Amino acid sequence: MDENKPISRRNFFGVSAAATAALAVGGNIQSVFSKETACPYKAPPINGQFPDDFWWGAATAAYQVEGAANEDGRAPSIWDTFSHTPGKVVNGDTGDISCDQYHRYESDIKLMAELGIKHYRFSISWPRIIPQGRGKVNDKGMDYYKRLVDTLLKHDITPHATLYHWDLPQVLQDKYKGWESREAVKDFGDYATAVVKNLGDKVGHWMTLNEISTFTYNCYGVNQRTAHAPGINLNSKKEFYQVVHNALLAHGTACQAIRAASPRKSFVSVAENYESYVPVFETPETIEAAKKAFMREEKNGGIIIPILTGKYDEGWLQDVGANAPTILSGDMNIIGQPLDELGFNCYMGNYVRAADNAKGYEVLPFFPKYPRGNTNWLSIVPESIYWGVRLVSEAVGATKLPIFISENGCADGSVMNSNGEVLDIDRIMYYRNYLTHLHRSVTEGYPMKGYIPWSLMDNFEWQQGYSQRFGMVHVDYATQKRTPKLSYQWYKEVIKNNRVM
Ligand code: NOJ
């Protein structure tokens, strides 16, 4: 870039991200332009471009888009039961029909191809594949995913499959209380084996579980109501951490199962919405505080840290004390199976500062009117995407582990106008800001492989039903008509130009 030329609108984001990057690594703006940074990674040219092989994709999940809840031998999942229970989901919505992708996958894939994505993240429905939770495989269910994958490949779109996106077969909940039992670990491993044996010749990228922290923290309360299926009230924190421990074991067991069953080189990962900690000022002591918080705080120290290191964080163990899960011999080895890549579901983050207390940091509270857009739980923290990547390298030490964004998004607040358009400028603002900070991680040479935002299309948003729309494609649920929103057009430009637009 010619430093003497005025900065065009198109270049602005690349420059501002790069400038922030230089400040972060203790340099100054001049050092960015001379490409000198203190960062240990080799910095690619700073020109706003993503690498040529950067993945651009989009994500969905089975219960949220497929519909066909009672077809071809599929049995109910805990979400079918939950959504059919009055009062659990807004407007009594269910995933019975949803976006009907089970029948409309071909035209949905055309929309993907038109958008230009080369990566599609979807999930496989356990109760479609093994309706009884364990035992016999339902060939008709498997055939659906074979058709889906073949059609993706025909359009030159790489499939990324998640094995568990929250739709546990109801029968296993009834039989042994689902994730409260270690029996679920074995059954999940067997299900993973069945799927990979059947699809592993065509699918190379596998995510074991989606957001362990959400499907434990949102589903199992201790003396409190929970918003997600199966909505269980436990008696103690100890029981709760045991549920999380079982989910971690299921992850590790599935990693082993995928590798054993795959007929080709597989890329094994987990899609986790681990917490990102943003140093409120980028000074060395605040960055140190962010690293400490990243390792120790509730949802990280007990989930992503054991996954990445094979150990619960020491500080986290101190914090949970006698409530820590019972760990059997060999468990941590299973949990800490090496990953080929890591999926980061990034929606929000936390600001941190250094503090003169035993932990050495303080997580700053969000005030009621902090910017949240149309998603009440989502505090908008664009820097979290960068720090979530950098801290895996710097706090955990996993400097070589490739990371990709497996989700990122927000519900828009726009409605279709009289011209039939959805002008979701709030989503464009959100994506652009997060992508700008993601680009910074690329600029600084962190192993960032790609961006797979949530979501391709509006879909069943769990306890919010169809009342919240996270898609780049609008879905009219009465007619199943798809209408690409303005964000779809924006993302198409991003992909075409391989840069933040
Ligand atoms: C994360 C979950 O994986 C996905 O299923 C959900 O729809 C989005 N967050 C938005 O809430």
Side-chain angles (χ1 to χ4, degrees), residues 195-427:
V195 171
V196 177
K197 268 193 182 154
N198 279 277
L199 298 174
D201 55 337
K202 292 181 178 152
V203 179
H205 294 270
W206 297 100
M207 280 151 278
T208 54
L209 301 154
N210 179 68
E211 296 195 356
I212 294 175
S213 73
T214 308
F215 84 76
T216 53
Y217 283 78
N218 285 17
C219 304
Y220 297 85
V222 178
N223 301 321
Q224 65 177 30
R225 183 175 180 273
T226 48
H228 279 201
I232 300 291
N233 245 321
L234 300 171
N235 295 318
S236 69
K237 271 281 192 186
K238 171 112 187 143
E239 285 176 17
F240 174 75
Y241 291 126
Q242 209 64 52
V243 170
V244 178
H245 189 74
N246 289 343
L248 294 175
L249 284 169
H251 156 75
T253 302
C255 289
Q256 293 170 324
I258 295 166
R259 290 199 171 103
S262 179
R264 57 182 245 186
K265 160 79 188 143
S266 54
F267 294 85
V268 179
S269 66
V270 64
E272 187 57 24
N273 57 331
Y274 54 86
E275 298 276 336
S276 178
Y277 291 91
V278 177
V280 71
F281 330 113
E282 293 195 357
T283 59
E285 61 276 19
T286 321
I287 292 173
E288 211 39 52
K291 287 191 208 168
K292 288 181 183 153
F294 188 79
M295 297 297 289
R296 177 171 192 157
E297 280 293 292
E298 174 83 9
K299 291 185 182 171
N300 285 8
I303 298 179
I304 195 67
I305 301 307
I307 286 177
L308 294 179
T309 66
K311 286 191 220 125
Y312 285 101
D313 177 66
E314 283 301 325
W316 182 86
L317 282 171
Q318 271 175 38
D319 294 341
V320 301
N323 289 326
T326 303
I327 302 170
L328 303 186
S329 147
D331 281 4
M332 297 317 294
N333 181 42
I334 295 172
I335 292 171
Q337 287 299 298
L339 300 181
D340 299 291
E341 53 200 25
L342 172 65
F344 176 25
N345 285 11
C346 178
Y347 287 86
M348 51 194 181
N350 308 276
Y351 289 102
V352 185
R353 67 178 174 186
D356 193 10
N357 59 22
K359 291 183 178 177
Y361 65 86
E362 180 189 3
V363 179
L364 302 179
F366 287 105
F367 44 86
K369 289 200 171 165
Y370 185 86
R372 292 198 175 82
N374 193 42
T375 325
N376 58 6
W377 51 265
L378 199 169
S379 304
I380 300 174
V381 181
E383 312 93 313
S384 59
I385 205 164
Y386 164 80
W387 284 98
V389 173
R390 178 165 164 181
L391 290 171
V392 168
S393 278
E394 280 189 19
V396 182
T399 55
K400 300 260 161 32
L401 179 64
I403 306 183
F404 62 101
I405 301 305
S406 35
E407 287 186 30
N408 173 236
C410 62
D412 61 63
S414 58
V415 287
M416 191 172 273
N417 67 18
S418 53
N419 296 328
E421 300 170 299
V422 181
L423 304 178
D424 52 338
I425 49 179
D426 46 359
R427 173 168 297 106

Side-chain angles (χ1 to χ4, degrees), residues 61 64 121 165-166 210-211 345 347 377 407 454 459-462 470:
Q64 296 181 270
R121 176 180 174 220
H165 204 121
W166 308 351
N210 179 68
E211 296 195 356
N345 285 11
Y347 287 86
W377 51 265
E407 287 186 30
W454 187 272
N459 57 55
F460 177 80
E461 178 52 22
W462 308 114
F470 275 79

